[in-house]
Amino acid sequence: MNVAILAIGNEVLCGKIVDTNGAVISREIEGIGAQVVHREVVSDQVEAIVSGLRHAYEYADFVITIGGLGPTLDDLTREGVAQFFNEALVYDPKIYEGITGYFAHTGRETPENNKRQAYQFPTSFVLENPNGTAPGLRLDKGGKTVFLLPGPPNELLPMFEKEVLPVIKERLEVPMVTRSYKLCGIGESLAEEKILHLYETYPMLNIAPYCSISFVDYVVTAKQSDARMLDVFEAAFLDVLGEYWVGAARDELNVTVVEKLKELNMTIAVAESCTGGMLASSLIEVAGVSEVFLEGFITYSNEAKMARLGVKHDTLMRDGAVSEACAKEMAVQLQRLTDAHVTVSITGIAGPGGKTKEKPVGTVYIGIAIGAQVQVYACRFSGSRDRIRTRSKDHALHLLYKLLNKVTDI
Amino acid sequence: MNVAILAIGNEVLCGKIVDTNGAVISREIEGIGAQVVHREVVSDQVEAIVSGLRHAYEYADFVITIGGLGPTLDDLTREGVAQFFNEALVYDPKIYEGITGYFAHTGRETPENNKRQAYQFPTSFVLENPNGTAPGLRLDKGGKTVFLLPGPPNELLPMFEKEVLPVIKERLEVPMVTRSYKLCGIGESLAEEKILHLYETYPMLNIAPYCSISFVDYVVTAKQSDARMLDVFEAAFLDVLGEYWVGAARDELNVTVVEKLKELNMTIAVAESCTGGMLASSLIEVAGVSEVFLEGFITYSNEAKMARLGVKHDTLMRDGAVSEACAKEMAVQLQRLTDAHVTVSITGIAGPGGKTKEKPVGTVYIGIAIGAQVQVYACRFSGSRDRIRTRSKDHALHLLYKLLNKVTDI
């Protein structure tokens, strides 16, 4: 089943509103195994709407329009659909009754221009809108179905879930199943190289990589009848990429790490230099983190590293603040200072300044102490200051996740 | 000048990534007085890209494609454009040299599949990409211009501003002028109410508000011939909204604050509870911050507030950790401890837990000490945990900015 989504409105088109509606709906459609094949944003003009509908009809079995059902003169979705199908719009007193009822409920009179919302097509079905005045409409035409939905998310999403998603699901010929894998510590190119043979071995699977700053997510989809191939694929996939695997695509690594710490009854403290609070902030983003998170130090200057954590002057002189020795001292001293079970330190050169010949921009050391065990990882990240800092933070979470998993193995 | 934007990629189409790129670029295009007339998202398939280009060409003088220039087999924008124009793709050793240089810089070998990024058209111009491997391309065809830009925002936006926006601006028939204002500490509805009369008084100006979590940006555009009206408008605008004004729409408040501190030769230290490193991280995002930023404390637990900053046990018992008294002690003690000229403290309830009858979720206290002056601000923010934390951080920057501006007045 192919679905096209047409967002209608100048505010979306000119970037005043970010089209999150389209993203949310698309995810839900893909989640049931249907495919979003086309999305378009058009202006509040009848010709633009007609042209958008024509494109959408090229591609899809279902067309969903979002927006343009309001009461004002620039709400022209109904008119656009009427022109596209060459159908008349008919005033429906029942819809108008619903609209006046909505206003009465909020103690207001119905403004005259809301009458525009009471028009539908002779062959359309009305989709109730308990959260606003504009009802949705559904039209079945030439074996295809068009849904006209309102733009405000609190009206759109309940209507979409109640009136649209079940209809698409019902018409899926082949039920689909999906699995996903989140990878950290490997780039998209290298990951693809490592599993290139799997694309050939498993032609019945749709294997799709999604890349973000620190992660590569793989979403693998199969027909229900090929579901067992997902197990075989998974074994082969994790055989080559398992060391980078940190959960499903939807999993957030900070949440996973906080849950793991809770499960292990372990407390954590962090000491950051170049990331400057990113790691702490990411952990504290998780509600309920107070059970495990004790405190953090942002020791950006050398003085702070010495005064707060007791990093030795000698270490800073001999090895520098960006060094294995410094990262190790930061993590170990922090453990002594706070009595946290787990401590993490990050020190690096995020650039653009601060680089030396031996230590280019992107050189980062991550120290992790768990009980009596201390490990320091030397990393080299690329990109802008912001990306290097984000990658440092995410890689620290990744390394911590791996080590915490080993704790349970003992 | 009409512009169409074509976002290419399954991850945008299926909703995994929200199309913020399209919104940001659209705003900048509208900001110079050109018009975005069409936006479309298509899949990583050559036919879909060709069809998207055909639609875009219907509408626009400029077509901007975003994404699909990566190294993997599903990056097919170059191939789609080649087919649409019936042009050959040619390997360009110079581009490849740039790509291998990028990898060498990060100490890695160039993966074989990055070679795909070294192809261009006989008639295209190469747009340099200092932040990634994929160069952009520009093609002039039949009086229209197509730009092929990379998808990652940190690669896309600098390239867009350097290579695309000036070209569109140059070809505008009626030169337009623009001013913008960033507001913090006021919501969109209230801001609109306060300047409603200006829309009527200045019909020759296009006044557009853009709302984000913590800010409302106003972009005001006029024809060159009406340019002097911008001065008159500005006076009236700042008369009612000046107290919320923190710079132009593009200005980043963290950068402005760091620059101000440098100018004043003042050092800063921060102590955070609910924001947990967000404020420090936002300051450290600014390159060269080491001149002014000394250190930060993330005193999430009551124990840390006492042990690190010397907040009194009595204060925590009597007023609680989320209180004016606690925020004040945090800022003042931090100043004693670090000798920083300026200290900022944030303590609040980000939720969903931790609320009391008197202190609902969103209650936040921000303390700022500058020299011997200490001020504490009681705030009440709404929204999710993440939004409350973000608003707390941005509001702290806003208050600091205002106070630092007064320092120079003395």
Side-chain angles (χ1 to χ4, degrees):
Chain A
M1 282 293 120
N2 290 338
V3 183
I5 301 173
L6 189 61
I8 296 165
N10 292 338
E11 296 208 328
V12 182
L13 190 59
C14 77
K16 185 166 161 166
I17 293 176
V18 177
D19 181 22
T20 38
N21 278 339
V24 172
I25 282 192
S26 299
R27 255 174 280 170
E28 301 214 10
I29 292 167
E30 296 271 331
I32 61 164
Q35 272 198 299
V36 178
V37 290
H38 179 77
R39 274 168 54 193
E40 191 169 330
V41 184
V42 297
S43 70
D44 291 314
Q45 289 177 310
V46 171
E47 313 85 72
I49 296 167
V50 169
S51 151
L53 286 166
R54 197 169 53 239
H55 300 160
Y57 248 66
E58 278 178 39
Y59 297 96
D61 308 298
F62 292 95
V63 176
I64 298 170
T65 75
I66 301 176
L69 297 180
T72 61
L73 289 174
D74 58 0
D75 289 305
L76 293 167
T77 301
R78 278 174 295 259
E79 285 74 4
V81 174
Q83 185 166 320
F84 180 64
F85 287 122
N86 202 17
E87 278 233 26
L89 276 164
V90 197
Y91 176 73
D92 182 339
K94 258 197 195 157
I95 299 181
Y96 191 66
E97 216 170 88
I99 295 171
T100 49
Y102 181 86
F103 276 100
H105 179 74
T106 60
R108 291 176 292 167
E109 292 230 343
T110 308
E112 182 57 27
N113 46 12
N114 282 80
K115 216 165 201 172
R116 300 191 59 238
Q117 300 183 302
Y119 284 78
Q120 64 149 318
F121 303 97
T123 58
S124 56
F125 298 91
V126 177
L127 313 176
E128 268 180 47
N129 182 0
N131 303 307
T133 54
L137 294 173
R138 173 185 155 182
L139 263 160
D140 296 298
K141 281 275 180 188
K144 299 187 176 192
T145 299
V146 186
F147 294 96
L148 283 64
L149 305 182
N154 70 316
E155 303 179 28
L156 166 74
L157 298 178
M159 194 184 288
F160 172 75
E161 279 168 26
K162 183 157 175 259
E163 309 276 6
V164 182
L165 211 51
V167 176
I168 300 175
K169 203 167 180 175
E170 204 184 275
R171 284 207 229 150
L172 278 180
E173 283 145 38
V174 187
M176 306 292 283
V177 278
T178 287
R179 283 197 203 166
S180 71
Y181 309 89
K182 188 188 282 295
L183 306 180
C184 187
I186 187 169
E188 189 185 5
S189 307
L190 190 56
E192 282 286 275
E193 244 176 73
K194 280 180 185 271
I195 63 153
L196 212 53
H197 61 290
L198 300 183
Y199 283 87
E200 281 174 36
T201 319
Y202 301 98
M204 76 295 289
L205 302 181
N206 179 34
I207 306 166
Y210 301 106
C211 195
S212 58
I213 293 178
S214 307
F215 303 101
V216 183
D217 292 348
Y218 275 92
V219 177
V220 187
T221 312
K223 289 179 193 158
Q224 180 77 64
S225 53
D226 289 324
R228 66 188 178 80
M229 294 314 290
L230 288 174
D231 291 326
V232 196
F233 169 84
E234 180 165 297
F237 181 85
L238 293 181
D239 191 42
V240 276
L241 292 174
E243 62 179 302
Y244 309 100
W245 181 43
V246 293
R250 273 171 185 241
D251 294 343
E252 302 284 348
L253 199 43
N254 53 349
V255 176
T256 315
V257 163
V258 168
E259 276 167 8
K260 196 83 202 164
L261 287 166
K262 283 186 184 174
E263 194 185 308
L264 295 168
N265 259 316
M266 285 179 135
T267 54
I268 187 169
V270 304
E272 303 178 60
S273 189
C274 64
T275 46
M278 266 187 164
L279 177 60
S281 180
S282 151
L283 292 169
I284 290 174
E285 195 181 305
V286 184
V289 73
S290 55
E291 278 179 47
V292 294
F293 187 90
L294 299 182
E295 61 181 313
F297 288 83
I298 300 159
T299 51
Y300 200 62
S301 64
N302 278 355
E303 289 67 33
K305 288 183 186 77
M306 293 187 286
R308 301 311 155 212
L309 301 174
V311 171
K312 288 189 216 112
H313 186 257
D314 271 9
T315 308
L316 295 172
M317 289 302 105
R318 194 185 56 226
D319 302 293
V322 178
S323 64
E324 189 180 323
C326 183
K328 187 170 178 176
E329 281 187 34
M330 286 169 75
V332 172
Q333 300 282 49
L334 182 59
Q335 218 178 13
R336 285 195 197 141
L337 191 65
T338 61
D339 281 331
H341 300 110
V342 181
T343 58
V344 182
S345 67
I346 303 178
T347 179
I349 301 162
K355 67 184 170 193
T356 65
K357 217 172 178 180
E358 297 79 35
K359 294 173 188 168
V361 168
T363 305
V364 177
Y365 292 88
I366 298 170
I368 302 182
I370 302 184
Q373 303 283 324
V374 195
Q375 302 226 243
V376 178
Y377 303 85
C379 313
R380 179 78 62 82
F381 300 111
S382 59
S384 64
R385 180 176 177 83
D386 191 45
R387 286 174 91 86
I388 289 170
R389 295 175 69 230
T390 302
R391 285 176 169 153
S392 303
K393 178 260 291 176
D394 287 326
H395 205 61
L397 286 173
H398 168 222
L399 295 168
L400 179 56
Y401 168 81
K402 290 281 169 195
L403 289 178
L404 289 177
N405 275 333
K406 282 190 193 150
V407 172
T408 29
D409 289 353
I410 293 163
Chain B
M1 284 292 119
N2 290 337
V3 183
I5 300 173
L6 189 61
I8 296 165
N10 292 339
E11 61 266 55
V12 182
L13 190 60
C14 76
K16 181 153 175 156
I17 293 176
V18 177
D19 182 23
T20 38
N21 278 339
V24 172
I25 282 193
S26 298
R27 253 175 277 171
E28 301 218 7
I29 292 167
E30 298 269 331
I32 61 165
Q35 272 198 298
V36 179
V37 291
H38 179 76
R39 274 167 54 193
E40 189 169 331
V41 184
V42 296
S43 70
D44 291 313
Q45 288 176 312
V46 171
E47 313 85 73
I49 296 167
V50 169
S51 151
L53 286 166
R54 198 169 54 238
H55 300 159
Y57 248 67
E58 278 178 37
Y59 296 96
D61 308 297
F62 291 94
V63 176
I64 298 170
T65 75
I66 301 176
L69 298 180
T72 61
L73 289 175
D74 59 359
D75 288 305
L76 292 167
T77 301
R78 279 175 295 260
E79 285 74 4
V81 173
Q83 183 166 321
F84 180 64
F85 288 122
N86 201 18
E87 277 234 27
L89 276 165
V90 196
Y91 176 73
D92 181 339
K94 259 197 193 156
I95 299 180
Y96 191 66
E97 217 169 86
I99 295 170
T100 49
Y102 183 86
F103 276 99
H105 176 75
T106 61
R108 290 179 291 167
E109 292 232 343
T110 308
E112 182 59 27
N113 45 12
N114 283 78
K115 216 167 201 171
R116 300 191 57 238
Q117 300 183 302
Y119 283 78
Q120 64 150 319
F121 303 97
T123 59
S124 56
F125 298 91
V126 176
L127 314 176
E128 267 179 47
N129 182 359
N131 303 308
T133 54
L137 294 174
R138 172 185 157 183
L139 262 161
D140 297 299
K141 281 277 180 187
K144 298 187 177 193
T145 299
V146 185
F147 294 96
L148 283 64
L149 305 183
N154 71 314
E155 302 179 28
L156 166 74
L157 298 178
M159 194 184 288
F160 172 76
E161 280 172 23
K162 184 158 175 261
E163 309 277 5
V164 181
L165 211 52
V167 176
I168 300 175
K169 201 167 182 177
E170 206 185 277
R171 284 205 230 152
L172 282 178
E173 281 145 39
V174 185
M176 305 291 283
V177 278
T178 288
R179 283 198 202 164
S180 71
Y181 308 89
K182 187 188 282 293
L183 306 179
C184 187
I186 187 169
E188 189 185 7
S189 306
L190 189 56
E192 281 288 274
E193 237 176 83
K194 280 179 184 273
I195 63 153
L196 212 54
H197 61 290
L198 300 183
Y199 283 86
E200 281 175 35
T201 319
Y202 301 98
M204 75 296 287
L205 302 181
N206 179 33
I207 306 166
Y210 300 104
C211 198
S212 59
I213 294 179
S214 306
F215 304 101
V216 182
D217 293 347
Y218 275 92
V219 178
V220 187
T221 312
K223 287 181 192 155
Q224 181 77 65
S225 51
D226 290 323
R228 67 192 174 79
M229 295 314 291
L230 288 174
D231 291 327
V232 197
F233 168 85
E234 180 164 298
F237 181 86
L238 293 181
D239 192 41
V240 277
L241 292 174
E243 63 179 300
Y244 309 101
W245 180 43
V246 293
R250 277 168 181 240
D251 293 344
E252 302 284 349
L253 200 42
N254 53 349
V255 176
T256 315
V257 164
V258 168
E259 275 167 9
K260 197 81 201 166
L261 287 166
K262 283 186 184 175
E263 195 186 307
L264 295 167
N265 258 317
M266 286 178 134
T267 54
I268 186 169
V270 303
E272 303 178 61
S273 189
C274 63
T275 46
M278 266 189 164
L279 177 61
S281 180
S282 151
L283 292 169
I284 290 174
E285 194 180 306
V286 184
V289 73
S290 55
E291 277 179 49
V292 296
F293 188 90
L294 299 182
E295 61 180 312
F297 288 83
I298 300 159
T299 50
Y300 200 63
S301 63
N302 277 356
E303 289 68 33
K305 288 183 186 77
M306 293 187 284
R308 300 312 154 212
L309 301 173
V311 171
K312 289 191 215 109
H313 185 257
D314 271 10
T315 308
L316 295 172
M317 289 301 106
R318 194 185 57 226
D319 303 294
V322 178
S323 65
E324 188 179 325
C326 182
K328 187 171 178 176
E329 280 187 34
M330 286 169 75
V332 172
Q333 300 282 51
L334 182 61
Q335 219 179 13
R336 285 194 197 140
L337 190 65
T338 62
D339 280 332
H341 300 110
V342 181
T343 58
V344 182
S345 67
I346 304 179
T347 179
I349 301 162
K355 67 184 169 192
T356 64
K357 217 170 178 181
E358 297 78 35
K359 295 172 187 168
V361 168
T363 304
V364 177
Y365 292 89
I366 297 170
I368 302 181
I370 302 184
Q373 304 282 323
V374 195
Q375 302 227 244
V376 178
Y377 304 84
C379 312
R380 181 76 62 82
F381 300 110
S382 59
S384 64
R385 180 177 178 84
D386 191 44
R387 286 173 91 87
I388 289 170
R389 295 175 69 228
T390 302
R391 285 176 168 152
S392 303
K393 179 261 291 177
D394 287 325
H395 206 61
L397 286 173
H398 168 221
L399 295 168
L400 180 56
Y401 168 82
K402 291 283 170 193
L403 289 177
L404 290 177
N405 274 335
K406 283 190 193 149
V407 172
T408 29
D409 290 354
I410 294 164

